Amino acid sequence: DSPVIRTRNTDIHAQCDIVVDVGAKYEPENHLYDHHQREFTEVLAPYNMKLSSAGLIYKHFGKDVIREILATIEFDCNDDLVAVFYDKLYTGFMEHIDAIDNGVAIADTPAKYHISTSLSCRVGSLNPSWNEDNSADATNTVFIDAMCMCQKEFVEATVSLAKSWWPARTIVETAIKTRR
């Protein structure tokens, strides 16, 4: 329910509770989460992908967000289970966002095909075309649409893990443990 302000004005940043993807500072203790510094090399251990600002938010708040989402569906979980979901959501949802935002190619050789349905592509498709209204109001409107889409897809991915992947994993794990 917090207002989102899109600006590069550092005077306004100083008044904000959290600043993301602008400001050229990564200071989690001050809630500054930008990855646009030459010396920036932050990753989410044990993975090796350099984090985007979205990845930084995930690193610092992801487990809390996952807990909140799971609480809305009354999914009983503990810290160990949240950690499993956190890792699964990073590799299955967040990592490609970090890669794309940081210009990391999906392969070292020329790609044999183009994937145009990633979350990043879907967000990009919301932007006005060159011959459409590109005013601040128009771009702010599509920015809100993009935030809503990302939120919806992240929640859906988390809920899917809880309702489908985890129960299936539990069945397989039990079968392996009792196979002899």
Side-chain angles (χ1 to χ4, degrees):
D1 296 327
S2 298
V4 174
I5 301 166
R6 294 184 71 216
T7 183
R8 295 193 186 281
N9 184 323
T10 55
D11 293 333
I12 294 174
H13 295 170
Q15 300 171 39
C16 294
D17 294 325
I18 184 169
V19 178
V20 179
D21 208 28
V22 292
K25 290 182 183 175
Y26 170 53
E27 297 173 2
E29 65 280 3
N30 295 318
H31 292 298
L32 304 174
Y33 301 98
D34 194 9
H35 68 116
H36 296 104
Q37 307 93 37
R38 235 178 228 139
E39 68 279 0
F40 182 85
T41 58
E42 194 75 19
V43 298
L44 180 67
Y47 310 103
N48 295 318
M49 185 61 61
K50 186 173 110 171
L51 297 175
S52 65
S53 293
L56 288 172
I57 295 300
Y58 188 75
K59 177 179 182 173
H60 292 281
F61 300 102
K63 289 180 181 176
D64 293 333
V65 171
I66 291 166
R67 257 188 222 90
E68 291 289 326
I69 293 168
L70 295 176
T72 66
I73 61 167
E74 298 178 4
F75 186 81
D76 187 32
C77 64
N78 57 33
D79 289 346
D80 291 338
L81 185 56
V82 168
V84 170
F85 278 42
Y86 180 76
D87 285 340
K88 185 74 172 163
L89 284 162
Y90 184 73
T91 58
F93 191 92
M94 293 299 302
E95 188 173 37
H96 86 277
I97 296 168
D98 289 335
I100 290 168
D101 197 17
N102 283 305
V104 176
I106 196 167
D108 293 331
T109 60
K112 296 186 185 297
Y113 59 91
H114 174 72
I115 299 172
S116 60
T117 58
S118 69
L119 180 61
S120 297
C121 289
R122 289 189 299 282
V123 166
S125 72
L126 296 174
N127 287 323
S129 296
W130 67 272
N131 56 352
E132 295 179 323
D133 181 5
N134 278 279
S135 67
D137 286 343
T139 56
N140 284 334
T141 297
V142 296
F143 182 82
I144 292 167
D145 292 344
M147 285 191 325
C148 292
M149 179 173 45
C150 292
Q151 176 187 353
K152 181 179 185 283
E153 290 192 25
F154 185 82
V155 169
E156 287 172 351
T158 305
V159 169
S160 177
L161 288 180
K163 289 188 174 183
S164 180
W165 177 77
W166 184 252
R169 184 179 183 274
T170 303
I171 291 168
V172 172
E173 184 178 50
T174 300
I176 289 170
K177 286 179 181 176
T178 59
R179 71 187 181 279
R180 297 183 206 271

